[in-house]
Amino acid sequence: MSSVPAANPAVVPVVDYEPPLLRERPAASAAAPRPRPAPPPRPRPTPPPAETAAARAAGAFADAALRRVLEVIDRRRPLAQLRPLLAGGLVDSLLSVPHRHGGEAARLRRIRVQPIGAAGAAAEVAATYTRGRRLHAIACRVQRVDTATGPRWQVVALHIG
């Protein structure tokens, strides 16, 4: 009896498909590569609407108004100083915001202004503020209103998160 094992037909060696390692760079072909066509020139982007003068004015007003709102919530500023900046019912609604005893003061961090309409008479504002290590959100809508002394900006909607 021979002790030669029978060949297993299920086991087949795998063919090596890897190319051999080149020690030298391949020679350049005789034909020069075709140059790629230049991409078409891009049109100049139009400035975003936030860069208009009305949007900048709305942003500057909203920045100042939101800082004052946070100072009133922290009891660092009297509520009466908000009356010219906020619409009537909004001033009274700030009385219901809980007072922050101790702890750190709120600090406005980032503000984003989105103009509403083509006239630039209103804008929606989203902002973030920190109190200690926590990050919070605050949003408002500012609108240019006509008064006896002339047009001015006013916060007409406010949401504090």
Side-chain angles (χ1 to χ4, degrees), residues 79-95:
L79 186 66
Q81 290 187 5
L82 288 180
R83 294 206 188 278
L85 304 178
L86 275 63
L90 294 178
V91 175
D92 299 330
S93 68
L94 282 178
L95 295 173

Side-chain angles (χ1 to χ4, degrees), residues 26-111:
S29 65
R34 282 189 253 163
R36 292 184 181 172
R42 288 193 222 166
R44 291 186 146 242
T46 58
E51 293 182 9
T52 64
R56 283 193 301 271
F61 169 78
D63 181 77
L66 291 178
R67 287 180 193 279
R68 289 185 184 140
V69 165
L70 294 174
E71 290 171 358
V72 167
I73 292 171
D74 288 346
R75 304 294 195 255
R76 294 182 286 148
R77 184 180 288 270
L79 186 66
Q81 290 187 5
L82 288 180
R83 294 206 188 278
L85 304 178
L86 275 63
L90 294 178
V91 175
D92 299 330
S93 68
L94 282 178
L95 295 173
S96 65
V97 175
H99 173 60
R100 307 295 290 184
H101 293 287
E104 294 188 33
R107 297 179 64 194
L108 195 63
R109 292 295 182 182
R110 183 170 286 176
I111 187 168

